[in-house]
Amino acid sequence: MDTFFLVIAFILCLALLIPFYRVYKGPTVFDRLLGAAAVGTKTITLILLFGIMYEYLDMFIDISLGYAILNFIGVIAMAKYFRSKERASK
Amino acid sequence: MSMLQNIVTIVLVIGGTFFMLVGSIGINRLPDFYTRTHASGKVDTLGIIMFLSGLAVHQGFSLNAAKLLLIIAFMAFTSPVASHALSRRALLFGMKPWYGHGKDKS
Amino acid sequence: MSQQSSSFWLRHRGLILQALLLSAIWLLLSGKTEPIYLFWGAVSVAFVLWMSNRIHNIPLAENEPCGTTRINIPRLIIYLVWLVGEIIKAGFYVAYVILHPKMPIEPMLVRFTSKQPNVMARVILANSITLTPGTLTVDVDGIHFTVHALTRDTEEGLVSGEMESRVARLYMQSCKRADMCCEVELITSGRGR
């Protein structure tokens, strides 16, 4: 089972690196934000996998819950920021 | 840990990893911002739900499994809100959607 | 439905359910049952209830405070089960579209007017549209929805109004699927807006 989780962690790292291309290249700011949010969701699962592999899951679950909340609040805050910028330029 | 539990865990975790990989590919492959939001908002949500359910099955009946279910509910409720907030801001910002190549398909 | 019911349960149902939910989350996150933790948990739940009770009196839209409507709980559970099925279908459909070599997408914006009974129903509808196959709520302005659809099939599924009648049935007794979604306007080219 440990080998299985290790292989899954490698595949997840690959899935985590792909959106970085969009963060780097993205034509607009929103594409970059979307890529960053996608990286965040994969990070949550990666944290949980590390927790299972180290057999210390109860601490890592709290960390990943906090990470999920921060990811969500970050996206909402960036959306709010763009509204105020749009108002200033009007 | 029973055999059935292991099998269900492996199936759910592999399915979730597959969907998250597809979501990553979709974010790079689709043509414009709104369609990319489809990839990020739906495929990734399904992937993370399947993955965390697999981990909850792996934990069995315990406090950790209940916390994993809490994370699942949180992700399922907040991911549409986040993608809606981003795409609404993009529309108000004046970003035009991509309407396809037009003539080649009827 | 709006008249004051004499039953204590009906009048304070929202508060009681919220208190139960908050206590469950506290127990889940702390995982301890010593009296001191339970005491601080009770204090936190009471504080959050007091704060959110004040929030309930703030209107979300004009003339519509959000704490006055009552949802139908058995129908809500059925609806959630149906929604999970829709999420799974949505994931498979969008994954198929992404992995298809030609990518058969035909994106378009759909504008329609929805006759939902109140604000919370509109919020539920917007979230559900985002979670179901190939559609994404882009803007909600009063009763006017703007939805981005990925292909033409998903647009037809949206306009048929099945989901809207399901959401409206959470609050009302019955409603038909035909009279929910009206004034549909498709924007399929760059000059529509």
Side-chain angles (χ1 to χ4, degrees):
Chain A
M1 210 66 183
D2 272 350
T3 328
F4 170 69
F5 280 133
L6 204 60
V7 173
I8 289 294
F10 272 119
I11 300 175
L12 267 184
C13 284
L14 187 67
L16 195 147
L17 286 179
I18 294 173
F20 270 115
Y21 177 72
R22 184 52 67 192
V23 176
Y24 167 69
K25 179 149 179 285
T28 64
V29 182
F30 295 103
D31 289 304
R32 291 171 209 265
L33 271 180
L34 199 67
V39 170
T41 42
K42 274 129 204 151
T43 313
I44 295 166
T45 58
L46 207 56
I47 290 173
L48 286 172
L49 266 185
F50 282 136
I52 282 190
M53 279 193 284
Y54 287 133
E55 296 183 343
Y56 206 54
L57 190 58
D58 41 358
M59 186 181 81
F60 282 88
I61 277 183
D62 292 342
I63 295 176
S64 68
L65 187 58
Y67 198 89
I69 293 173
L70 273 183
N71 200 11
F72 174 62
I73 291 178
V75 171
I76 296 291
M78 290 314 264
K80 287 279 175 196
Y81 164 73
F82 282 112
R83 181 174 71 178
S84 58
K85 188 181 165 194
E86 175 198 34
R87 265 189 196 154
S89 69
K90 203 179 273 181
Chain B
M1 179 174 297
S2 67
M3 196 71 199
L4 183 68
Q5 203 178 1
N6 268 344
I7 292 173
V8 172
T9 303
I10 287 177
V11 168
L12 281 178
V13 166
I14 286 182
T17 315
F18 169 74
F19 276 111
M20 277 190 275
L21 202 58
V22 170
S24 296
I25 293 171
I27 282 180
N28 276 336
R29 194 156 177 241
L30 288 170
D32 88 319
F33 170 73
Y34 296 97
T35 47
R36 276 173 212 144
T37 317
H38 282 279
S40 146
K42 286 197 252 304
V43 187
D44 269 2
T45 310
L46 179 65
I48 202 165
I49 286 175
M50 282 176 78
F51 195 98
L52 296 189
S53 326
L55 292 192
V57 171
H58 179 258
Q59 292 298 308
F61 283 103
S62 63
L63 189 69
N64 284 340
K67 278 185 187 173
L68 282 173
L69 289 183
L70 184 69
I71 300 182
I72 290 177
F74 184 80
M75 292 302 297
F77 281 121
T78 55
S79 115
V81 177
S83 51
H84 165 67
L86 267 186
S87 59
R88 175 163 194 260
R89 201 46 68 201
L91 188 76
L92 293 188
F93 212 63
M95 189 189 286
K96 292 279 199 299
W98 180 85
Y99 290 113
H101 303 299
K103 309 295 190 290
D104 51 356
K105 275 174 265 179
S106 63
Chain C
M1 200 157 129
S2 63
Q3 58 199 0
Q4 284 289 323
S5 170
S6 59
S7 162
F8 178 80
W9 160 249
L10 270 185
R11 237 186 312 155
H12 297 285
R13 197 183 68 169
L15 271 185
I16 297 170
L17 284 182
Q18 197 181 6
L20 283 180
L21 193 66
L22 288 173
S23 315
I25 290 178
W26 174 276
L27 283 179
L28 205 62
L29 286 182
S30 76
K32 296 190 172 74
T33 50
E34 281 92 14
I36 181 70
Y37 293 108
L38 291 185
F39 170 71
W40 286 114
V43 170
S44 316
V45 168
F47 180 69
V48 172
L49 278 185
W50 177 66
M51 290 290 279
S52 64
N53 201 20
R54 291 177 56 192
I55 288 177
H56 273 187
N57 298 325
I58 300 174
L60 272 182
E62 62 268 21
N63 304 325
E64 284 186 276
C66 73
T68 57
T69 52
R70 246 182 236 117
I71 203 164
N72 191 332
I73 288 181
R75 281 182 185 164
L76 179 67
I77 294 171
I78 296 174
Y79 180 76
L80 283 181
V81 172
W82 177 79
L83 193 64
V84 169
E86 288 292 306
I87 290 173
I88 293 173
K89 267 200 296 187
F92 275 96
Y93 183 75
V94 181
Y96 161 74
V97 168
I98 289 172
L99 289 183
H100 196 281
K102 281 182 179 172
M103 272 207 301
I105 63 174
E106 194 182 348
M108 61 180 77
L109 284 182
V110 185
R111 284 196 183 161
F112 64 92
T113 306
S114 182
K115 291 176 185 166
Q116 295 295 327
N118 55 45
V119 181
M120 279 312 286
R122 275 180 237 138
V123 173
I124 295 174
L125 177 65
N127 255 341
S128 311
I129 285 175
T130 305
L131 279 174
T132 45
T135 49
L136 173 77
T137 313
V138 175
D139 196 5
V140 182
D141 182 19
I143 57 172
H144 305 286
F145 283 67
T146 307
V147 175
H148 185 267
L150 198 56
T151 60
R152 193 167 281 276
D153 296 342
T154 63
E155 178 265 327
E156 283 165 3
L158 174 73
V159 171
S160 76
E162 186 197 353
M163 172 181 292
E164 287 168 74
S165 57
R166 276 176 188 271
V167 172
R169 258 183 260 141
L170 292 175
Y171 284 94
M172 296 193 295
Q173 289 308 312
S174 67
C175 78
K176 275 179 287 182
R177 129 185 344 194
D179 52 304
M180 282 318 289
C181 183
C182 52
E183 299 175 22
V184 180
E185 177 194 359
L186 298 185
I187 305 171
T188 53
S189 70
R191 287 160 216 89
R193 187 149 183 270

